[in-house]
């Protein structure tokens, strides 16, 4: 007798409830890989059986839990029969035990980035589901008391929702609170046994927003007590009829930090990612490795495009702060009137146009991590003293605020400018330079790195060949000689651009010098043009695009002139 199949309706209720809480698609397969139940998205994608050699199959065979966050490259997925058509981004498989045997597997499947991040960020909580799930299934199989499992106050479901790192409130059809989990009770200091109306917890305005959405979707951030939450609402349906509402409360600030950490995990950079064997580069790497574990300020000096941020990320990864946030800030890219609020944050209502809930600053986000101040030489003089004070006193105050916030980031700075010269000219504070320049590391330009140019070129060729699905074997001898002889004013960034261009347009299996030379020549011609010439070229391109869109008739030209905000006479003159 197939035990799981005999209780399929009850299992469907369980996974639907879990989906309402997690928004992650769920399926359960039996010991023969037959799919017993699944949420709607999985039903649309999969057939009746899980694939042979899939992670489901391996979980059945070994009795182990598996978390897959990269289904394309994970070794566990290489021999899966469904590998070529799989569109899952992440998967968590948990074996189901009953009477000492493995009778099936529960799989949590992510088909989008939001669900993938949810699985990764809450993996420890979801892994705890195994014991609760086994207890629930044992209860169903032993007692066949189906109705009891639909009662959301049951011990099993309360245990389940209490294992989550998010707040849960379950309402009945009359908007009365049926269940609150430990998370929300602790955060809002609510009495476990006290029965409250939902209006006493959620502000009236936010409830009205949820009501407008028919309690499907999210609102927020919502300020409740000392916390800000994103509130996600879902209707509970049993047998097609509404039986209540589940509200999920996610800590807004932790969500932002989780996104940053998740992004970091996708793009971890180590010293192995720094390609090259030239003496100057090896010396720079040696210095960076030596200083990585020492919590001192580092100043990376080098031309634009030499890879200063990659060095900064590698230093962070090799430091004891590697588990915390790496926050990169381009000091020259933020408008002067916004840089203080970007770095230190602001309180709500601090200035016209400010977010109504305020904003957390970069210093606070990276308060225990690494702060990378790129192009520090472009930092406005008025901000330099505030940065110095934040670094020395290890505290900041938000714009419009009065409360000091403790911060202790490790600071790595970078510049292509001569900061000592700027100090002599009165453009950069000497005391800030001493604070940042504890350990200076010189990153050499590409033209000084010799054969590293070829190593990087081959690396980029391999990279772009995969992206553009080109079968390119390498460079001709003439092409490599040409690459070695070029000066690369844009450094590695320019080389990467050249190789990408050559990869796209090369028609043979070996990249010749033709496309490389063509790209460099076109750049030189562009660089030699005056501003007026470049403006005319730009105008011509814009007008041609608009004429192609609206047509060359009188009506089309009238619409083009209207869209561009010029008279018909001006348009005709420019066309001629």
């Amino acid at each position: 007798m197939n035990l799981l199949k005999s209780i399929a309706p009850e299992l469907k209720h369980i996974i639907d409830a879990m989906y309402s809480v997690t928004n992650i698609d769920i399926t359960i397969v039996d010991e023969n890989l037959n799919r017993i139940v699944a949420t709607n998205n999985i039903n649309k994608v999969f057939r009746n059986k899980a694939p042979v050699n899939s992670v489901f199959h391996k979980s059945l065979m070994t009795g182990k839990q598996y978390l897959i966050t990269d289904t394309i490259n994970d070794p566990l997925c290489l021999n899966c029969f469904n590998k070529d058509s799989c569109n899952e981004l992440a998967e968590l498989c948990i074996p189901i035990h009953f009477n000492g045997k493995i009778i099936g597997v529960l799989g949590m499947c992510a088909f989008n980035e939001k669900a993938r991040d949810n699985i990764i960020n809450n993996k420890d909580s979801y892994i705890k589901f195994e014991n609760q799930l086994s207890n629930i299934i044992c209860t169903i199989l032993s007692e066949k008391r189906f109705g009891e499992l639909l009662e959301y106050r049951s011990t099993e479901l309360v245990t389940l929702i209490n294992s989550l790192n998010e707040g849960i409130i379950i309402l009945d059809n009359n908007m009365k609170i049926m269940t609150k989990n430990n998370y929300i009770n602790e955060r809002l200091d609510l009495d476990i046994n006290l029965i409250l109306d939902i209006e006493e917890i959620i502000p009236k305005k936010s409830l009205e927003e949820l009501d407008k959405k028919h309690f499907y979707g999210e609102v927020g951030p919502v300020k409740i007590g000392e916390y800000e939450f994103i509130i996600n609402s879902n209707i509970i349906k049993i047998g097609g009829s509404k039986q209540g509402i589940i509200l999920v409360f996610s800590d807004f600030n932790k969500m932002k930090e989780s996104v940053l950490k998740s992004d970091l995990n996708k793009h971890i950079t180590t010293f192995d990612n720094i390609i090259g064997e030239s003496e100057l580069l090896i010396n720079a790497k040696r210095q960076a490795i030596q200083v990585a574990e020492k919590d001192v300020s580092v100043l990376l000096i080098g031309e634009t495009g030499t890879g200063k941020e990659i060095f900064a990320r590698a230093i962070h990864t090799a430091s004891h702060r590697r588990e915390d946030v790496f926050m990169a800030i381009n000091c020259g890219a933020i408008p002067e009137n916004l840089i203080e609020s970007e770095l230190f944050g602001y309180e709500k209502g601090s200035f016209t146009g400010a977010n109504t809930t305020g904003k957390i600053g970069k210093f606070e986000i990276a308060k225990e991590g690494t702060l990378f101040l790129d192009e520090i030489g472009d930092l406005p003089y008025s901000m330099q003293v505030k940065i110095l004070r934040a670094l020395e006193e290890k505290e900041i105050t938000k714009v419009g605020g009065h409360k000091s916030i403790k911060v202790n980031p490790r600071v790595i700075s970078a510049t292509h400018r001569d900061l000592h010269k700027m100090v002599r000219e009165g453009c950069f504070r000497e005391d800030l330079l001493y604070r940042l320049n504890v350990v200076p590391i010189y990153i050499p330009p590409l033209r000084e790195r010799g054969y590293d140019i070829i190593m990087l070129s081959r690396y980029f060729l391999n990279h772009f060949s995969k992206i553009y699905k080109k079968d390119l074997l390498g460079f001709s001898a003439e092409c490599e000689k040409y690459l070695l002889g070029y000066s690369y004013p844009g450094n590695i960034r320019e080389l990467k651009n050249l190789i990408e261009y050559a990869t796209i347009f090369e028609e043979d299996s070996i990249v010749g010098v033709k496309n490389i030379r063509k790209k460099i020549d076109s750049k030189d011609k562009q660089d030699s043009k005056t501003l007026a010439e470049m403006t005319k070229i730009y105008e011509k391109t814009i007008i041609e695009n608009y004429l192609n869109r609206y047509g060359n008739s009188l009506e089309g030209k009238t619409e083009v002139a209207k869209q561009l905000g010029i008279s018909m006479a001006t348009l005709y003159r420019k066309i001629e």
Side-chain angles (χ1 to χ4, degrees), residues 167-296:
I168 305 294
I169 293 180
I170 302 178
L171 309 173
D172 64 14
N173 280 339
N174 297 316
M175 301 299 289
K176 297 296 182 184
I177 296 176
M178 298 171 60
T179 303
K180 310 186 303 294
N181 74 344
N182 289 343
Y183 180 99
I184 203 71
N185 287 328
E186 291 169 2
R187 292 297 186 282
L188 302 183
D189 195 24
L190 302 176
D191 188 330
I192 296 175
N193 301 311
L194 184 64
I195 299 176
L196 298 171
D197 289 330
I198 193 63
E199 292 87 352
E200 297 179 70
I201 297 176
I202 300 178
K204 182 179 178 181
K205 185 177 179 181
S206 300
L207 274 177
E208 290 174 351
E209 288 183 49
L210 285 170
D211 189 48
K212 288 178 184 176
K213 297 182 177 184
H214 305 289
F215 289 91
Y216 278 108
E218 65 181 35
V219 297
V222 178
K223 182 78 171 178
I224 305 177
E226 298 179 0
Y227 294 90
E228 283 185 300
F229 296 100
I230 297 294
I231 304 176
N232 192 287
S233 177
N234 279 285
I235 298 292
I236 302 170
K237 287 187 177 181
I238 298 177
S241 63
K242 176 185 172 185
Q243 297 297 318
I245 297 168
I246 289 183
L247 300 177
V248 181
F249 296 71
S250 302
D251 188 306
F252 181 55
N253 288 328
K254 284 189 176 180
M255 282 176 66
K256 290 191 290 187
E257 291 181 12
S258 293
V259 169
L260 290 168
K261 290 181 179 179
S262 177
D263 185 63
L264 168 68
N265 290 334
K266 295 178 193 173
H267 304 286
I268 291 176
T269 302
T270 69
F271 287 107
D272 291 335
N273 296 116
I274 301 174
I275 299 169
E277 297 178 353
S278 63
E279 185 176 345
L280 287 173
L281 184 72
I282 294 298
N283 184 54
K285 285 176 67 173
R286 185 184 300 113
Q287 288 179 285
I289 291 169
Q290 288 175 336
V291 80
E293 280 288 356
K294 301 173 178 63
D295 219 8
V296 296

Side-chain angles (χ1 to χ4, degrees), residues 110-124:
F111 295 97
N112 56 60
E113 289 293 341
K114 185 176 181 180
R116 179 182 181 274
D117 291 342
N118 193 351
I119 289 179
I120 293 171
N121 296 332
N122 293 284
K123 62 179 180 180
D124 293 335

Side-chain angles (χ1 to χ4, degrees), residues 489-516:
N491 288 293
I492 297 173
R493 194 174 292 130
E494 182 177 3
L495 175 62
K496 184 177 181 181
N497 179 273
L498 282 173
I499 303 305
E500 182 173 14
Y501 180 89
T503 302
I504 294 171
F505 291 103
E506 184 56 60
E507 298 177 353
D508 297 325
S509 60
I510 300 294
V511 177
V513 74
K514 175 184 173 183
N515 287 311
I516 299 289

Side-chain angles (χ1 to χ4, degrees), residues 275 453-476 479-480 483 492 495-512 515-516:
I275 299 169
I453 294 170
I454 303 303
M455 294 180 66
L456 285 164
S457 297
R458 291 171 178 173
Y459 172 81
F460 291 139
L461 182 65
N462 181 60
H463 173 73
F464 289 121
S465 293
K466 291 177 180 177
I467 290 177
Y468 296 113
K469 296 180 173 55
K470 300 287 286 285
D471 189 17
L472 298 175
L473 304 178
F475 300 93
S476 69
C479 184
E480 290 192 350
L483 289 168
I492 297 173
L495 175 62
K496 184 177 181 181
N497 179 273
L498 282 173
I499 303 305
E500 182 173 14
Y501 180 89
T503 302
I504 294 171
F505 291 103
E506 184 56 60
E507 298 177 353
D508 297 325
S509 60
I510 300 294
V511 177
N515 287 311
I516 299 289

